[in-house]
């Protein structure tokens, strides 16, 4: 213990020379007091709390019903490095994996829960898997990608890792598990995988402490009738409601038809919630009974789940199919999907909530990707293959479009969604024939000038890669409907007409070559999220940026020549998140930075030129999370830093010598600070 002179009556103490301003403020990193304090902090066993954003939401009833299984699996993981959960689709494997992940996360330095992507397996598939792990990886509860860190696999070596790979269904998934565990090679890491296929799970091997060990296979069983009824009742009649006497007998009948599958029980219970008419219950039972005659297990399950889908309104059906065939488990998050649905269908929050309440999609945050049960996704894919009056496939991907000549029955003008890859024989002319196209997600490099002139005016989401001279045609075609634009191209200037994109909410630039933006940029009326990545020539933002009244989030990554924000930047009335990573020449933050009254998240990483924060910094009334990484020249914190009353979490790493975050820096509120 280090004590002041007046505390010499206490035992186990040392007297130190005056190389500190106060007991908790050492003069330098080389001072004896600093060394003693840091050694003490590192030796202290502090209870770790994982932020809720790093956990996976699981319904309380699911926790109760899986408790016994949970205890069994947890006991296995105490001695085995990997467990493989096996069972039929909808039986609860993923729910059990989520429970384990949430319970164990605090014990590991790195954590990742990944729902494995489905679709065509090609040469880049393993890279895609690596990219998804990197984007989902958390370090001590904080998302690695959000902190501006580059995902380097060597960083995982011998670190405690908790990894969940949900729904293994091919050998590449098995190989990927082995690859990650080999890189990690930590005996204290744990791996959880799920699959319907015992064949693949029997091949799962992990490297743990230089030993190759088979994953322990655990079979997840059907729910018994008692548990099935409890789960169904929790959705159909949430406490304290109870079924009327006339419905009581129907409860048992319908529960029996759900075959002990949690997914079916949840969907049916959610559908029948607040349905008091006995005729509706009778019709539901008849539909489930009819499905029993289908011999194929998957088709029988889909027929039961489709009972709920058929009750949706037309626009809700469209949203469900969009979610299942395009947005689910993709690079796009819920916020971006809602931006599109606002333009297409309206009332996007209400319609999306309906799907959640019916258990057709999972309840996720705005910044998270849309998730749904694999069987619900499969149902959506099945329905999308025979969509509309013409019974065409509404979504084109590499797997269902081998060549335009061999798909004469597929009317190209009816296509709704296009995922364009290099091997797909579709050019700008063919894309122009898709008169009903809503979503174009292209990994293939195109001549964007040609695409812009031919693109259907119905497109609401557009991701393009390629060469471009001008965006004038693209702006003209997207004037009325375009809501999301993700552009990777050597664009040298942005047309002044960009302000005419009246419905644009999400705008992402990557590898663009412009140095500045036109003043008309500030006239985008709905822009909410703006991202610049690797726009190396960008020096600043236009003064008119302060007029972006709807802007909620601004991200700047690897913009090496970005120098400063305009003074008007601090006038943004709704900015909630500001993320800046690898801005090597950023000189300062604006003096009036404290005027950003809605700012809740601030990340500054690898901005080596910044030496101080503005004095108004402490006036940010809503700042909750502050992450400062590799600010080597930051010498001090402003005097008012302790006034950040809402600050909940601080992360700092390799900041300048003079900016040690001392307890005296903070106000009376509780803060979670980590280095």
């Amino acid at each position: 213990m280090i004590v002041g002179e007046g505390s010499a009556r206490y035992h186990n103490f040392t007297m130190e020379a005056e190389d500190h301003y106060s007991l908790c403020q050492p003069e330098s990193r080389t001072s004896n007091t600093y060394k003693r304090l840091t050694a003490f902090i590192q030796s202290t066993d502090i209870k770790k709390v994982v932020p809720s954003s790093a956990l996976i939401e699981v319904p309380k009833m699911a926790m109760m019903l899986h408790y016994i299984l949970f205890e069994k699996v947890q006991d296995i993981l105490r001695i085995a490095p990997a467990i493989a959960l096996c069972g039929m689709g909808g039986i609860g494997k993923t729910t059990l994996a989520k429970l384990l992940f949430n319970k164990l996360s605090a014990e590991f330095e790195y954590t990742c829960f990944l729902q494995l992507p489905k679709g065509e397996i090609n040469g880049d598939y393993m890279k895609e898997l690596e990219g998804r792990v990197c984007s989902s990886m958390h370090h001590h509860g904080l998302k690695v990608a959000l902190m501006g860190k580059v995902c380097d696999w060597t960083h995982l070596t011998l670190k405690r890792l908790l990894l969940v790979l949900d729904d293994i269904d091919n050998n590449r998934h098995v190989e990927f598990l082995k690859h990650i565990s080999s890189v990690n090679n930590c005996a204290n890491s744990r791996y959880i995988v799920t699959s319907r296929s015992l064949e693949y799970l029997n091949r799962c091997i992990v490297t743990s402490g230089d030993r190759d060990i088979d994953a322990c296979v655990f079979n997840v069983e059907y729910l018994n009738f008692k548990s099935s009824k409890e789960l169904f009742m929790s959705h159909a009649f949430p406490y304290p409601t109870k079924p009327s006497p006339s419905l009581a007998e129907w409860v048992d009948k319908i529960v029996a038809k759900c075959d002990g599958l949690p997914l079916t029980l949840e969907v049916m219970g959610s559908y029948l919630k607040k349905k008091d008419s006995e005729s509706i219950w009778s019709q539901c039972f008849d539909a489930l009974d009819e499905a029993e005659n289908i011999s194929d297990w998957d088709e029988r399950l889909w027929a039961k789940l489709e009972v709920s889908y058929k009750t949706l309104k037309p626009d809700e059906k469209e949203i469900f199919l969009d979610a299942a065939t395009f947005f689910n488990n993709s690079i796009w998050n819920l916020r971006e999907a809602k931006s599109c649905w606002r333009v297409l269908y309206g009332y996007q929050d209400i319609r999306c909530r309906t799907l959640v309440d019916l258990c057709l999609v999972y309840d996720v945050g705005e910044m998270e990707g849309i998730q749904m049960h694999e069987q619900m996704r499969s149902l959506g894919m099945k329905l999308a293959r025979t969509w509309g009056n013409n019974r065409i496939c509404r979504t084109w991907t590499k797997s269902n479009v081998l060549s335009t000549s061999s798909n004469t029955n597929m009317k190209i003008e009816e296509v709704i969604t296009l995922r364009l890859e290099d091997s797909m024989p579709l050019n700008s002319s063919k894309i122009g024939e898709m008169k009903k196209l809503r979503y174009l997600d292209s990994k293939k490099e195109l001549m964007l000038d040609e695409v812009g002139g031919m693109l259907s005016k119905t497109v609401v989401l557009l991701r393009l890669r390629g060469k471009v001279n001008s965006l004038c045609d693209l702006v003209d075609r997207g004037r009325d409907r375009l809501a999301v634009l993700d552009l990777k191209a050597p664009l040298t200037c942005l047309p002044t007409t960009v302000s005419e994109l009246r419905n644009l909410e999400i705008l992402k630039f990557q590898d663009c070559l412009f140095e500045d933006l036109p003043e008309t940029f500030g006239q985008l009326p709905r822009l909410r999220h703006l991202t610049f990545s690797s726009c190396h020539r960008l020096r600043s933002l236009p003064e008119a940026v302060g007029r972006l009244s709807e802007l909620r989030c601004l991200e700047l990554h690897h913009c090496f020549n970005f120098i400063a924000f305009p003074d008007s930047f601090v006038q943004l009335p709704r900015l909630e998140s500001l993320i800046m990573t690898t801005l090597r020449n950023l000189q300062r933050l604006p003096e009036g930075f404290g005027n950003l009254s809605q700012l809740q998240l601030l990340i500054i990483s690898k901005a080596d030129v910044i030496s101080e924060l503005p004095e108004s910094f402490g006036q940010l009334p809503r700042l909750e999370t502050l992450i400062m990484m590799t600010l080597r020249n930051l010498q001090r914190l402003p005097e008012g830093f302790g006034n950040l009353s809402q600050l909940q979490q601080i992360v700092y790493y390799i900041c300048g010598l003079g900016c040690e975050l001392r307890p005296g820096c903070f106000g009376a509120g509780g803060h979670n600070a980590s280095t």
Side-chain angles (χ1 to χ4, degrees), residues 319-535:
I319 290 178
F320 173 77
L321 295 178
D322 287 348
T325 62
F326 182 71
F327 288 109
N328 177 65
N329 204 21
S330 70
I331 64 168
W332 306 104
N333 59 36
L334 178 60
R335 183 200 63 239
E336 292 158 345
K338 283 186 175 181
S339 295
C340 298
W341 294 339
R342 176 187 60 79
V343 176
L344 291 170
Y345 316 117
Y347 303 105
Q348 66 279 5
D349 291 321
I350 296 174
R351 300 187 197 282
C352 190
R353 188 72 241 175
T354 297
L355 300 187
V356 171
D357 290 342
L358 290 173
C359 292
L360 300 180
V361 299
Y362 294 140
D363 194 5
V364 299
E366 293 276 318
M367 300 297 288
E368 298 179 62
I370 292 177
Q371 300 287 337
M372 61 203 318
H373 194 282
E374 178 57 26
Q375 289 293 348
M376 295 305 309
R377 188 195 75 89
S378 297
L379 171 63
M381 296 295 288
K382 171 180 175 288
L383 295 171
R385 282 194 290 269
T386 55
W387 177 81
N389 296 329
N390 295 312
R391 314 298 287 174
I392 57 95
C393 182
R394 60 180 276 151
T395 301
W396 278 24
T397 64
K398 180 182 176 181
S399 60
N400 60 15
V401 181
L402 300 177
S403 70
T404 52
S405 59
S406 62
N407 285 277
T408 55
N409 293 329
M410 301 177 72
K411 297 183 178 181
I412 195 169
E413 66 274 11
E414 298 286 336
V415 174
I416 299 294
T417 303
L418 174 61
R419 288 189 183 278
L420 187 60
E421 298 186 37
D422 287 334
S423 58
M424 295 170 64
L426 293 172
N427 54 27
S428 301
S429 177
K430 285 294 182 183
I431 294 174
E433 294 178 24
M434 299 178 178
K435 301 303 182 184
K436 297 183 180 180
L437 190 65
R438 299 174 189 167
Y439 307 106
L440 172 54
D441 187 348
S442 177
K443 294 181 180 179
K444 183 177 183 177
E445 291 207 354
L446 300 166
M447 281 300 299
L448 304 188
D449 299 280
E450 297 177 5
V451 175
M454 299 180 180
L455 195 66
S456 170
K457 292 185 178 181
T458 59
V459 171
V460 294
L461 180 146
L462 186 59
R463 183 164 74 123
L464 288 176
R465 275 86 182 98
K467 298 180 179 180
V468 63
N469 294 316
S470 171
L471 284 186
C472 292
D473 287 339
L474 183 61
V475 170
D476 180 62
R477 307 297 288 181
R479 180 180 288 111
D480 296 326
R481 306 266 285 183
L482 192 62
V484 178
L485 175 59
D486 184 338
L487 181 68
K488 180 181 179 181
L491 182 68
T492 56
C493 67
L494 203 61
T496 57
T497 55
V498 67
S499 60
E500 297 177 10
L501 295 172
R502 61 176 66 100
N503 276 305
L504 190 66
E505 291 192 6
I506 315 293
L507 181 56
K508 302 179 182 181
F509 293 112
Q510 184 177 353
D511 294 345
C512 294
L513 300 180
F514 44 65
E515 294 184 9
D516 49 32
L517 302 172
E519 287 297 318
T520 55
F521 191 83
Q523 298 173 20
L524 288 165
R526 288 188 174 272
L527 190 63
R528 286 172 171 249
H529 192 125
L530 176 61
T531 302
F532 298 93
S533 299
S534 299
C535 297

Side-chain angles (χ1 to χ4, degrees), residues 609-662:
V609 179
I610 291 181
S611 60
E612 61 181 12
L613 300 177
E615 289 301 323
S616 65
F617 195 90
Q619 299 171 17
L620 294 167
R622 294 178 179 270
L623 189 64
E624 297 177 357
T625 301
L626 173 61
I627 299 175
M628 299 187 296
M629 310 282 289
T630 322
L631 306 182
R632 299 180 185 277
N633 285 315
L634 183 62
Q635 295 302 309
R636 70 179 188 89
L637 298 175
E639 290 295 327
F641 194 83
N643 297 328
L644 297 171
S645 59
Q646 298 302 310
L647 198 58
Q648 298 297 318
Q649 189 169 39
I650 305 172
V651 177
Y652 63 99
Y653 176 70
I654 312 184
C655 291
L657 180 64
C659 70
E660 299 299 327
L661 297 186
R662 310 177 185 103

Side-chain angles (χ1 to χ4, degrees), residues 84-85 93-94 97 164-168 192-196 201:
L85 305 178
K93 304 182 297 297
T94 300
V164 178
L165 297 181
D166 186 32
D167 204 11
I168 285 179
I192 303 168
V193 296
T194 73
S195 180
R196 297 168 60 186
L201 293 182

